[in-house]
């Protein structure tokens, strides 16, 4: 059984996405470098203070990045971020011909 101390270091938690898969997903979702870093740490279950220490920024800055990430992914919470990332990876990318896709919708409530 894992000890509680083991889960305080994000490097010890499993990474749900391989490096190549992660880069493709970040490009597909048009995430900034910092949003991608915050998203990856959210997926690993890190708290704001852990992310702030790891990235060398304040907790308020992490909150701001997380808030923008939630808005961009249309997620209600951190679990929603993980779900959106997993869904985005599995969903085929629509072909865009220069105008809006009629009837295209994003699932809500995640």
């Amino acid at each position: 059984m894992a000890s509680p101390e083991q889960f305080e270091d994000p490097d010890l938690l499993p990474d749900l996405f391989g490096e190549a898969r992660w880069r493709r997903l970040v490009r597909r979702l048009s995430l900034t470098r910092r949003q991608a870093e915050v998203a990856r740490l959210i997926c690993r279950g890190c708290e704001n203070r852990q992310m702030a220490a790891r990235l060398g920024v304040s907790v308020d800055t992490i909150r701001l990045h997380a808030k923008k990430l939630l808005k961009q992914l249309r997620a209600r919470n951190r679990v929603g971020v993980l779900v959106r990332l997993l869904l985005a990876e599995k969903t085929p990318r629509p072909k865009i011909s220069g105008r809006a896709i009629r009837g295209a919708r994003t699932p809500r409530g995640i």
Side-chain angles (χ1 to χ4, degrees):
M1 183 163 190
S3 66
E5 297 82 30
Q6 182 179 6
F7 295 107
E8 291 192 15
D9 184 1
D11 289 329
L12 298 177
L13 296 172
D15 195 357
L16 297 175
F17 304 93
E19 197 58 41
R21 286 172 60 196
W22 182 256
R23 281 195 302 267
R24 277 194 309 268
L25 188 58
V26 167
R27 275 195 312 269
R28 182 176 196 174
L29 296 173
S30 301
L31 299 179
T32 65
R33 181 181 56 83
R34 190 60 90 181
Q35 284 175 330
E37 291 169 340
V38 170
R40 183 167 246 175
L41 292 172
I42 285 174
C43 289
R44 289 183 170 194
C46 292
E47 296 175 1
N48 288 345
R49 64 180 170 76
Q50 292 171 313
M51 286 189 268
R54 181 167 178 101
L55 299 177
V57 296
S58 72
V59 175
D60 289 334
T61 302
I62 292 295
R63 285 188 190 118
L64 179 65
H65 287 304
K67 182 178 178 180
K68 287 182 179 183
L69 182 65
L70 288 168
K71 184 176 180 180
Q72 183 171 346
L73 296 179
R74 295 182 182 168
R76 290 185 180 180
N77 54 37
R78 290 167 182 248
V79 173
V81 169
L82 175 59
V83 171
R84 292 287 187 187
L85 291 171
L86 291 170
L87 286 175
E89 183 183 37
K90 303 295 181 196
T91 307
R93 189 177 222 172
K95 294 182 181 177
I96 300 174
S97 63
R99 52 188 155 122
I101 300 171
R102 176 172 269 167
R105 294 187 180 188
T106 304
R108 297 203 180 254
I110 295 177

